[in-house]
Amino acid sequence: MSTIRQDDFIQSIADAFQYISCYHPLDYIQALGEAYEREESPAAKDAIAQILTNSRMCAEGRRPICQDTGIAVVFLKVGQNLKWDATMSVQDMVNEGVRRAYNHPDNKLRASVLLDPAGARRNSKDNTPAVIHYEIVPGDHLEVICAAKGGGSENKSKFYALNPSDSIVDWVLKTIPTMGAGWCPPGILGIGIGGTPEKAMLLAKESLMAPVDIHELKAKAASGAELTRVESLRLELMEKVNALGIGAQGLGGLTTVLDVKILDYPTHAASLPVAMIPNCAATRHVHFHLDGSGPARLEPPKLEDWPDVTWKADTNVATRVDLNKLTKEEVASWKPGQVLLLNGKMLTGRDAAHKRINDMLEKLEKGEGEPLPVDFTNRVIYYVGPVDPVRDEVVGPAGPTTATRMDGFTRMMLEKTGLIAMVGKAERGPVAIEAIKDNKSAYLMAVGGAAYLVSKAIKAAQVVGFADLGMEAIYEFDVVDMPVTVAVDSGGTSAHIEGPKTWQAKIGKIPVKVA
């Protein structure tokens, strides 16, 4: 009979969340490397190169893959015969491990968990509490999976109660385009089928914890071996989802998903519940067992196992922009899909800052309140909530957040503050695009999943407003050759609309095998 000691369990949880913050699963990286070799879309290939380069840099520097270091999710399979040598509850032990991981002095992770979610939304400061799923199983061991799920991908989770005769494939293909690119493809789709609504969602989430193995399934099919219904469905969805042409970061390309995972469960005769949850370019999970012999031992992957891909700023294909001298005329000259290298000073701000700016401006219009802490005239704003710096860093990993969350504030920012352009992740919605067009502005996209790479372009950083908002404060960054792509130009043309449309047509005309 195994006895799991409190300190061993807490240390294992802490080590696991530190580990996954900076190490991609090797199976994901190898699959992404293969996708890079196959990719024919220049924009998608460049995005994948940034993600791969960022991944290796994080492994070398032991820093977070993404600025969104996620909400802590833990799956526990508890052997019914094991014993605990502990005074704390299992929930409290997991929370203590998460607390230690996220406040580790050598690799502090961003605390994103908010208490009172429908009210004050107060940051817990240590990313607790974790979300824990328990299962009691035979045996006397403890099986643990730790995952860090970012908000961008979690927000794209979908559920639908289909009729028993409805097509799951049709629902997936109809739903994927509505998810936009905020989940940072190329990633993995987890699909749960059956049970009850909450069971289907849990199945979808749990399916994402398995290794990338679609290549093995393809080999099995090629050998003529009989496939199960779920295996056939995985292969069909893999091919058809990639044929949509959404591509890396939603810019259009051959690979949108690297694998499709499916778990199912018996369901009611009147029901066909289906859930879909994506894993993003910052796929992060680790699996280990405890048997009472001590804490988990997590071996770092070998750097030579990473694909030999290194992204570098290339002025042969990119245009350097001086943010300190930027004019409306220059912004109006940018074209969709054009690659820019930003240099000079830019401001930052995301949800909380935009809400506060809006409230302050409304008061000023009534002759009340105080002026804004910074002047946005002819400035560019970056939607980001960076990780705290360590050692000699000026800022920690600082990748973009999903831009659509700022859509409702876009017209206000462009017309009342003098803002000239914006940088974020993924597409913009119709409301924001219309405001951009009316104001001859532009929206620039940075690659989600390349946070550490982006942070290396930031040479100085200081808080210039709303310091009480923590990572959501307004910073001023001084950047050198920060890579972005023009995603919406001053005429309102969106690369996230035109790119997938073009590549879906191309894929329909050429034989494409996406492993």
Side-chain angles (χ1 to χ4, degrees):
M1 179 181 294
S2 298
T3 299
I4 307 300
R5 292 184 292 272
Q6 177 172 297
D7 289 347
D8 291 344
F9 184 46
I10 292 173
Q11 189 62 51
S12 298
I13 294 292
D15 290 347
F17 278 102
Q18 272 289 308
Y19 182 94
I20 62 177
S21 76
C22 54
Y23 296 128
H24 268 118
L26 190 56
D27 54 87
Y28 173 83
I29 284 300
Q30 290 173 338
L32 191 59
E34 293 169 3
Y36 174 82
E37 294 300 329
R38 291 190 305 271
E39 188 55 69
E40 298 177 18
S41 162
K45 201 172 183 75
D46 181 79
I48 296 173
Q50 289 191 45
I51 295 167
L52 287 170
T53 302
N54 180 78
S55 178
R56 190 173 61 251
M57 288 172 62
C58 292
E60 290 174 328
R62 289 191 61 84
R63 291 294 274 146
I65 294 165
C66 181
Q67 80 290 337
D68 184 349
T69 51
I71 187 169
V73 180
V74 179
F75 291 86
L76 297 176
K77 291 188 177 180
V78 184
Q80 59 193 21
N81 297 325
L82 68 75
K83 291 180 62 179
W84 291 95
D85 179 8
T87 58
M88 301 168 68
S89 71
V90 174
Q91 176 81 49
D92 287 345
M93 286 188 282
V94 170
N95 286 342
E96 179 58 26
V98 170
R99 186 174 294 113
R100 292 182 188 181
Y102 277 75
N103 285 326
H104 195 292
D106 292 330
N107 185 37
K108 188 173 175 63
L109 308 180
R110 196 184 84 181
S112 300
V113 170
L114 305 181
L115 308 176
D116 189 16
R121 294 181 66 82
R122 186 178 74 259
N123 198 300
S124 72
K125 305 295 185 183
D126 56 16
N127 229 52
T128 65
V131 176
I132 307 176
H133 303 290
Y134 301 89
E135 185 177 350
I136 306 301
V137 299
D140 61 357
H141 289 193
L142 178 64
E143 183 178 345
V144 185
I145 299 175
C146 292
K149 288 292 270 107
S153 61
E154 287 292 88
N155 289 345
K156 302 303 180 180
S157 300
K158 302 293 180 181
F159 171 82
Y160 200 79
L162 297 177
N163 292 319
S165 60
D166 289 343
S167 165
I168 293 172
V169 172
D170 287 349
W171 177 76
V172 170
L173 296 180
K174 178 179 71 175
T175 304
I176 288 286
T178 70
M179 290 162 51
W183 59 282
C184 287
I188 301 164
L189 287 183
I191 296 176
I193 304 171
T196 52
E198 79 281 5
K199 180 65 173 179
M201 292 297 288
L202 182 56
L203 290 169
K205 179 66 67 66
E206 190 172 5
S207 75
L208 292 170
M209 303 300 112
V212 174
D213 65 354
I214 198 76
H215 56 291
E216 296 176 6
L217 195 52
K218 284 182 172 255
K220 180 180 178 180
S223 73
E226 186 175 356
L227 301 178
T228 67
R229 174 59 188 149
V230 164
E231 289 174 334
S232 296
L233 185 57
R234 286 179 62 194
L235 289 174
E236 181 181 2
L237 285 171
M238 177 81 172
E239 179 181 0
K240 290 182 176 180
V241 169
N242 281 326
L244 294 173
I246 294 167
Q249 303 293 301
L251 293 170
L254 299 182
T255 302
T256 302
V257 291
L258 301 170
D259 201 346
V260 176
K261 299 295 189 183
I262 299 176
L263 288 176
D264 63 2
Y265 195 84
T267 193
H268 191 281
S271 303
L272 182 56
V274 182
M276 180 164 59
I277 302 176
N279 242 2
C280 63
T283 289
R284 296 164 291 197
H285 56 82
V286 68
H287 188 158
F288 60 87
H289 290 77
L290 297 179
D291 59 8
S293 61
R297 294 178 178 84
L298 304 173
E299 292 295 327
K302 298 176 182 177
L303 291 175
E304 55 264 32
D305 290 333
W306 261 257
D308 186 17
V309 177
T310 301
W311 181 90
K312 294 181 179 178
D314 185 354
T315 53
N316 291 320
V317 297
T319 303
R320 279 202 170 100
V321 172
D322 185 349
L323 297 175
N324 301 329
K325 300 178 180 178
L326 190 60
T327 64
K328 290 185 177 181
E329 290 73 23
E330 184 175 358
V331 169
S333 72
W334 295 339
K335 303 300 181 186
Q338 184 178 355
V339 179
L340 308 177
L341 297 173
L342 303 183
N343 291 266
K345 297 183 185 300
M346 64 163 48
L347 298 170
T348 77
R350 39 180 282 166
D351 312 63
H354 279 74
K355 176 65 167 60
R356 188 172 292 184
I357 290 168
N358 186 68
D359 292 346
M360 291 178 71
L361 289 175
E362 287 182 350
K363 287 184 178 181
L364 286 171
E365 288 173 356
K366 298 175 183 177
E368 305 171 359
E370 300 178 353
L372 298 180
V374 292
D375 184 0
F376 287 92
T377 304
N378 288 347
R379 303 295 297 273
V380 173
I381 195 168
Y382 181 27
Y383 302 147
V384 62
V387 175
D388 288 345
V390 297
R391 298 181 288 277
D392 60 347
E393 294 177 345
V394 298
V395 70
T401 197
T402 306
T404 49
R405 297 203 313 275
M406 270 55 73
D407 279 6
F409 297 108
T410 299
R411 185 172 295 277
M412 174 272 295
M413 290 295 293
L414 293 177
E415 296 180 357
K416 294 184 179 181
T417 73
L419 190 72
I420 198 170
M422 301 147 284
V423 181
K425 181 182 79 175
E427 74 286 345
R428 303 308 298 264
V431 170
I433 291 174
E434 192 67 23
I436 290 167
K437 180 180 178 181
D438 289 347
N439 290 277
K440 301 300 179 184
S441 178
Y443 165 63
L444 313 175
M445 188 214 76
V447 171
Y452 196 39
L453 174 67
V454 169
S455 74
K456 295 304 180 183
I458 302 169
K459 305 305 179 182
Q462 63 174 329
V463 174
V464 293
F466 308 155
D468 62 297
L469 295 180
M471 63 93 176
E472 293 210 57
I474 299 176
Y475 288 77
E476 184 176 67
F477 288 166
D478 197 348
V479 300
V480 174
D481 285 349
M482 176 179 164
V484 296
T485 299
V486 179
V488 181
D489 73 353
S490 62
T493 301
S494 169
H496 285 98
I497 295 174
E498 300 303 320
K501 187 187 301 182
T502 299
W503 279 92
Q504 183 174 353
K506 287 184 178 181
I507 291 170
K509 297 174 183 175
I510 59 176
V512 177
K513 294 181 180 180
V514 182

